[in-house]
Amino acid sequence: MMHDVDYDAWASYIDSFLRECKSKTVLDCACGTGNITLRLAQLGYAMTGSDLSEEMLFIAQEKARALGRCIPFVQQDMRKLRLHKPVDAIVCACDGVNYLRGKSDLSAFLRAAWQALKPGGLLVFDLSSVYKLAHILSDKQYFEDNDDYTYLWYNSYDPAARDCELTLSVFAREGEVYRRYDEVQVQHAFTQGEIETALLACGFVDIRAYAAFTSEAPGAETERVQFVCRKEGGNG
């Protein structure tokens, strides 16, 4: 269902930030099935992947083995990250932060990331903007029909809560029949100001925001915002 995402370009964009501080050890938080993790590993980083979903981590591990990569994948809540030793950088791509349900969850994640980073380490993450969730995805219905699966996807946005509810029904082929799976996801729309305030409160410095995949500042109709910041200390 993510076949239209250019993960090579996404990993290259993240790499452009990681190279700023010569990062070597990197945690991919909310890594899903490892599409970014594996590409960053191929670019030379010592990767660890973490996610809340055991099923996604199993798939990520299978992908790594198929490529001959030895990458640890650990099941963790991003609000409660615990690593054996600090890393040079933490990345979180493709809406991981949007699944945090409000300011308290956001602060918990940022505090945990702070603790997991070496002094001078980078935190690099993106999120879908308020504009995207409220105006692009809101009250839209999508579908795709393939031989192996069909899905129906409907979104509804609550402007008061700034929550976008994504309701999916997937019909996946299993032998000669299709099995239906229903799922509801909720993404929260954080403003750029809320993110920057929370980062400052946790002690991050050199906070930058970009319209994703560019070096330009976000605009009123930017759909994805990329944040880059640093834990104070070290050589940068």
Side-chain angles (χ1 to χ4, degrees):
M1 292 172 62
M2 302 287 285
H3 58 79
D4 59 337
V5 176
D6 189 343
Y7 286 110
D8 290 333
W10 206 325
S12 179
Y13 183 63
I14 293 172
D15 175 49
S16 71
F17 299 115
L18 298 182
R19 281 185 275 134
E20 293 178 9
C21 70
K22 300 179 181 179
S23 302
K24 296 179 180 178
T25 55
V26 179
L27 170 67
D28 186 8
C29 180
C31 68
T33 61
N35 288 311
I36 296 294
T37 321
L38 294 171
R39 285 164 174 81
L40 291 178
Q42 290 171 328
L43 290 172
Y45 297 101
M47 298 300 300
T48 299
S50 71
D51 200 277
L52 192 59
S53 169
E54 183 178 359
E55 293 83 357
M56 286 191 173
L57 291 173
F58 177 81
I59 295 170
Q61 190 67 75
E62 290 297 300
K63 288 179 180 178
R65 286 175 183 156
L67 293 173
R69 295 280 177 179
C70 183
I71 299 174
F73 288 96
V74 294
Q75 185 179 14
Q76 285 194 344
D77 186 325
M78 64 191 293
R79 299 166 298 181
K80 302 175 183 178
L81 295 175
R82 295 290 185 273
L83 302 181
H84 292 301
K85 56 183 179 180
V87 291
D88 295 311
I90 296 174
V91 304
C92 185
C94 198
D95 294 351
V97 171
N98 287 108
Y99 286 98
L100 299 170
R101 294 301 301 274
K103 292 181 181 179
S104 62
D105 278 0
L106 175 64
S107 294
F109 163 60
L110 296 179
R111 286 194 300 269
W114 168 271
Q115 292 294 331
L117 282 169
K118 294 179 181 178
L122 286 182
L123 175 60
V124 181
F125 64 93
D126 63 76
L127 73 164
S128 289
S129 66
V130 176
Y131 173 77
K132 178 181 177 181
L133 295 182
H135 299 286
I136 302 299
L137 294 184
S138 178
D139 299 322
K140 298 292 194 306
Q141 187 166 341
Y142 305 89
F143 75 92
E144 186 172 343
D145 187 20
N146 295 294
D147 290 339
D148 293 328
Y149 67 87
T150 296
Y151 72 78
L152 304 173
W153 171 12
Y154 178 74
N155 302 318
S156 61
Y157 183 74
D158 180 345
R162 276 193 274 134
D163 286 338
C164 187
E165 185 175 273
L166 297 75
T167 303
L168 298 98
S169 295
V170 180
F171 300 84
R173 180 188 287 276
E174 296 184 5
E176 297 299 317
V177 300
Y178 286 83
R179 185 178 299 275
R180 175 172 174 166
Y181 299 90
D182 293 308
E183 182 173 320
V184 176
Q185 301 180 16
V186 179
Q187 292 193 1
H188 185 71
F190 291 101
T191 67
Q192 182 178 335
E194 286 173 333
I195 296 290
E196 292 173 346
T197 297
L199 287 168
L200 287 169
C202 289
F204 285 98
V205 296
D206 298 340
I207 299 168
R208 292 169 282 161
Y210 303 99
F213 312 116
T214 78
S215 58
E216 304 297 322
E221 296 186 358
T222 294
E223 295 185 26
R224 182 173 299 280
V225 182
Q226 179 73 49
F227 288 92
V228 183
C229 58
R230 182 172 58 84
K231 178 176 179 176
E232 196 165 22
N235 296 320

